Amino acid sequence: MVRSGGEPMPTGPAHLRERFLQGEPVARGGVRGSILDSWRRCRSLGLSPDQADPPFHDDFDPDGRIVRAAAPVLDRLQARYSGTEINISVADATGTVLLRRFGEASLAARLPAFQRVPGFMFAERFAGTNGIGLALADRRFIRVHGAEHFAERSQQNACVALPVRDPLSGRIEGVLCFGYPRAADSPALGIVLRRAVRAVERRLLGESSARERALLRAYLATGVDTADGPRRGVALDEPALGLHPRDRALLLERAAELLSRGQRAAVAVTLSDGRRVTLVSRPTASASGVAGLAIEVVVPGPAAPGGPGGLGGSGGLGGPEVAVPHQGDALPEFATAPTVLAAVSRLARLTAAAPPRPAPTTPTATDGGATIDGRPTGPPPSTRTERTGPPPSTSTERTGRTGQTRPAPPTPPPSTRGLLLVGEPHVGAYAVAARRRLELLSEVGARIGTTLDVRRTAGELAETSVPRFADYVTVDLPEPVLRGEESADPLADLVRTVVHGIRDDLPFTPVGQRIVFGPTAPQVRCLTTGRAELEPDLKVAAGWLAQDPEHTERLLAHVHSLIAVPLLARGVVLGVVSFYRAQDPAPFGDDDRSLAQELVSRAALSTDNARRYTRERGMVLALQRRLLPHGLPDQDAVEVAHRYLPAESDVGGDWYDVIPLSGARIGLLVGDVVGHGMLSAATMGRLRTAARSFAELDFPPDEVLGHLDNLVGRLDRDDPDGEGVGIIGATCLYVIYDPTEQRCVMARAGHPPPALVRPDGTVSYPELPAGPPLGLGGLPFDAVEIDVPPDSGLVLFTDGLIEDRNRDVDLVLDQLRGALAGHPERSPEETCEAILDSVAPAHPCDDIALLVARTHALDPARIAAWDLPPDPALVGEIRARATRQLADWGLEETAFAVELILSELVTNAIRHGSGPVRVRLLHHRSLICEVSDSSNTAPHLRQAGSNDEGGRGLFLVAQLARSWGTRHLPEGKVIWAECGLDAA
């Protein structure tokens, strides 16, 4: 950067900060992206660099979890940095500083008064860009150096900060920050900071483990009421250890769900072998006031020793008991509900077992207002009556009112009971949430990417995420990505692609409109940094609020939390996904951000695959359409309409063509190359070109197919990768219609026959030999000639119209017959639409080429024909007849050229041919002269020398006619020449 006078302009953070404060644009290249984003948020909040002191709060908990866990760690850090100018701070999740330590005691006197005692707020929205505020905003490791601070008073300082997370929930509990003079910056400080944060988090985990151990002690000490009285302790041979792994996992899942409810309940669980067991949650509390639940498993009936389930009578109250551990016993530490099982088993091995006792009376699931699957099944605890003595020994019992006796119900067999889980409800909630997240990830892997459509893939991501993860999801993709390309500037051409949620009436930007995010919006930040951006509370998200105040204010009435995730795959930016929370009062957290990142990462690969497929499919489609006819030739033999529908999954090699032929005839051609993709499209182009060339040589249909068959065989043999295995195959149908005789000649090579719609509305499929597909070689093709009255319809199609995995071909042909029958008045265009609407599959798995032609007849008054014997003396008479006929047609100006052409052609037929000679004139779009004989010898144009007496006749014909050629008949040939109506 250079000033106007040639002097370089300063580009350091201090200068860039000044430029930013003066309102000048600042690029990310000169200042780190996170710092620039923070500056922008501070400006949108209206903060001033010279602002007053941040607010102070004295209502914080001086003995909270983060304080208890961090205080010993800060003491060790203070000892380590004794005598240095480093100050160490711990703030809670709101940015309130709770603890401070100083390497040098005199540092406290140098600080502003508001920073000397705990309680001041250093959140970004109050103090601007700083270590604590930015660590909470970006939720990651932060380093702020000198002029990167927003406030003037912090320009000479530097700091590093890192969030402290709860190891169980992943929630940010606070921030640990090192502050020091700018000159004392060192990379080692970041390493020490990370180790200190891990130490604090381990202490947080230890607190949770201690609480769980206290609950276990309380449960063991409480005991269970039995027939012999209260019993201390429950046998700790975990009964699920001998179960099938599926049953063990099922019991753990249901136990975690019971634990997360936080109340007395019971639930029946059916195991894989058909047995039903009951999980019962029993409230318990430690001496220190920690409240939790113990989840017991109750198996009805006697447990056979060593039988299924592995209970063996030792897993319940009737088995060996374990003495209650004393306070000093070594207890296992466990942090989450699923790990309690292993801990209980270890604890069982550490304790001594008492002699076995008789099995107790089983507490029923209805005790204490328990529930089965959440439904109340008994009276509340205040009305419960328990029997603590032995059961009645008599077989009868007395009724309360009459004193009569009645038989007592049989005593149920004893049940076995064992401890399955102990913990606090919030720990169970974490376990349940973790399992549901895994289930969601599994479902995403199964549901996303079922198609290769970019829009549909984005929609699948939104549908999978709502409502299990978010209440609303929007997906914005650049317009080039929707076309299968890469976007040069994703922020400039974002288009709202998907809006999906629990309601449809929220004021989100509708699908199809362009999206412009403000420079501080979370979506812009995530696209710039490549990381997911979390806004737990949108009401204080300055960047989100500032992008469009009116729009965001309307949204705030419905949503309160946001995660914006970039859609990145293979280094390509594909768009941005925004997850909104509305109904759940809890905001998104860091674990939600991680889950959102994983969801979008999986969807990004499917989206990129769809994008690449869209690009390749677009290229193949472009090639396919380029190789197909761009327009129909001008002719009067038939009225034609056509359609081409590519397959949804891939593009194949279907083609069609309309070829004007000599004698006012028309050729109709449809074909299908086996396979899909670029190779099939390229092969289609080669075959169509070859077929057109063979047809224009006036070969009959069976010979055209024979030449194509040879060509396909050569393509297979010449392919260096094919190794002669026949990688190319094709089918074809070729029809020639002659309007002068109203007849069709057709042949097919493994292709469906055409449909013929007669003027009376009847529909038939001509009996046409199938012929082998092209490329097999060595087998002949047969042509069939049929009469086709004027105003008949010919419908040619490829197999994509009638063949489908879910449909029977014969039924589809009947359906096509029904669509065509009874509507002879339809135009070819209307017929095409009717066929596609009623016959074509909704989601074609193969290409469809459709060609519909309505036949016309050439007016007999425009045809003149003469038969004459092979006598040279009759050539003059033919010229005279032709001249009179041209005068009748009003074509006297063409008489000279026609006389010369007929003289040469008739003379050659008489001299070099055999049999009778036939002369025919056709008044069509041009004037066509035809001379036929029964000889198969065809003339050849040659260049006559200056001394040659002959050989100039055909040269004159070629000069006088637009075109000329030879058409072979089953017996003989036709030499024809076409003259323009303006010939002189």
Side-chain angles (χ1 to χ4, degrees), residues 289-315:
V290 179
L293 295 171
I295 309 300
E296 300 172 354
V297 58
V298 180
V299 182
L311 299 176
S314 64

Side-chain angles (χ1 to χ4, degrees), residues 3-49:
R3 297 184 190 272
S4 59
E7 179 184 352
M9 294 181 63
T11 58
H15 174 72
L16 293 173
R17 177 175 172 276
E18 287 299 322
R19 292 184 54 197
F20 178 83
L21 294 177
Q22 293 172 9
E24 299 181 21
V26 175
R28 287 181 178 265
V31 62
R32 288 184 291 150
S34 59
I35 300 297
L36 182 57
D37 288 336
S38 179
W39 289 355
R40 289 172 174 169
R41 291 195 296 269
C42 293
R43 183 167 59 185
S44 64
L45 289 168
L47 298 181
S48 169

Side-chain angles (χ1 to χ4, degrees), residues 583-850:
Q583 286 189 333
D584 190 345
F588 283 125
D590 286 277
D591 52 347
D592 297 310
R593 178 170 62 175
S594 300
L595 177 59
Q597 185 81 56
E598 182 66 22
L599 291 174
V600 175
S601 296
R602 299 191 181 196
L605 291 175
S606 298
T607 304
D608 191 50
N609 290 338
R611 179 192 66 84
R612 291 167 178 260
Y613 169 76
T614 301
R615 180 186 61 188
E616 294 176 3
R617 186 172 187 269
M619 295 170 58
V620 176
L621 269 176
L623 175 64
Q624 177 89 320
R625 297 191 183 279
R626 188 68 181 173
L627 295 175
L628 289 173
H630 296 291
L632 298 177
D634 292 333
Q635 46 80 37
D636 296 326
V638 291
E639 180 185 354
V640 181
H642 58 88
R643 294 290 188 276
Y644 172 74
L645 272 69
E648 283 191 352
S649 58
D650 207 348
V651 180
D654 292 18
W655 87 90
Y656 61 90
D657 210 345
V658 179
I659 308 169
L661 302 175
S662 63
R665 298 171 307 143
I666 196 74
L668 305 176
L669 186 70
V670 291
D672 181 6
V673 175
V674 175
H676 297 86
M678 188 71 74
L679 176 62
S680 296
T683 303
M684 177 274 293
R686 300 171 73 177
L687 291 184
R688 175 180 171 262
T689 301
R692 189 178 184 91
S693 300
F694 295 143
E696 288 179 343
L697 290 175
D698 269 331
F699 291 138
D702 53 337
E703 292 189 25
V704 169
L705 296 182
H707 288 298
L708 288 176
D709 182 56
N710 293 332
L711 174 63
V712 172
R714 288 197 301 273
L715 291 177
D716 281 342
R717 292 190 296 270
D718 295 343
D719 187 359
D721 300 324
E723 299 180 357
V725 296
I727 63 168
I728 298 175
T731 65
C732 187
L733 170 64
Y734 184 31
V735 177
I736 297 177
Y737 172 67
D738 188 347
T740 63
E741 299 181 357
Q742 296 90 55
R743 293 182 67 82
C744 270
V745 181
M746 58 184 72
R748 62 178 176 139
H751 201 88
L756 175 61
V757 184
R758 297 190 177 275
D760 59 359
T762 59
V763 180
S764 64
Y765 298 104
E767 294 292 336
L768 184 61
L774 301 177
L776 296 183
L779 298 176
F781 299 94
D782 296 324
V784 172
E785 188 172 355
I786 60 174
D787 292 325
V788 179
D791 295 326
S792 296
L794 285 169
V795 180
L796 288 71
F797 50 88
T798 55
D799 56 2
L801 178 68
I802 60 173
E803 292 184 5
D804 188 77
R805 291 188 296 267
N806 302 319
R807 303 192 300 174
D808 182 79
V809 173
D810 293 335
L811 294 179
V812 177
L813 289 175
D814 291 340
Q815 188 177 359
L816 177 61
R817 187 195 306 272
L820 296 174
H823 301 283
E825 75 286 352
R826 281 181 182 160
S827 67
E829 287 288 343
E830 294 172 340
T831 302
C832 283
E833 292 298 327
I835 293 174
L836 294 182
D837 291 342
S838 59
V839 181
H843 303 284
C845 57
D846 195 5
D847 292 11
I848 298 176
L850 179 63

